[in-house]
Amino acid sequence: MPIFIINKNTQPSGDNEVHNATTSCSHMPNSENQIALGSHPSCHEAVAAAKRKWPNNKIDGCYYCCEPCHTS
């Protein structure tokens, strides 16, 4: 099952991006800026988990490694 992280730094778009750590995304944040989200069947579940944990943040999937969950 894929392992996901979220970038604790907000992007210029206002998003905190979820990345698939299992795929070795070339756009992963530095390790000190990663927060583990754990294993999830897909990026949809990982983004949903992040939104539950940080309901006031704008959370999106990375265009490169979580493209089905990238909305902005």
Side-chain angles (χ1 to χ4, degrees), residues 2-57:
I3 298 169
F4 294 88
I5 63 93
I6 189 167
N7 186 348
K8 69 179 182 179
N9 292 326
T10 304
Q11 301 302 301
S13 63
D15 297 336
N16 289 86
E17 288 186 329
V18 170
H19 293 268
N20 184 337
T22 307
T23 63
S24 300
C25 177
S26 61
H27 292 83
M28 290 277 284
N30 293 335
S31 58
E32 65 270 13
N33 297 320
Q34 297 178 18
I35 300 172
L37 294 174
S39 297
H40 296 277
S42 74
C43 64
H44 298 287
E45 287 86 354
V47 168
K51 287 181 177 183
R52 284 191 301 274
K53 190 165 185 170
W54 297 283
N56 298 321
N57 290 40

Side-chain angles (χ1 to χ4, degrees), residues 53-71:
K53 190 165 185 170
W54 297 283
N56 298 321
N57 290 40
K58 187 177 169 192
I59 297 172
D60 195 25
C62 170
Y63 175 81
Y64 299 96
C65 65
C66 295
E67 195 273 330
C69 299
H70 179 75
T71 58

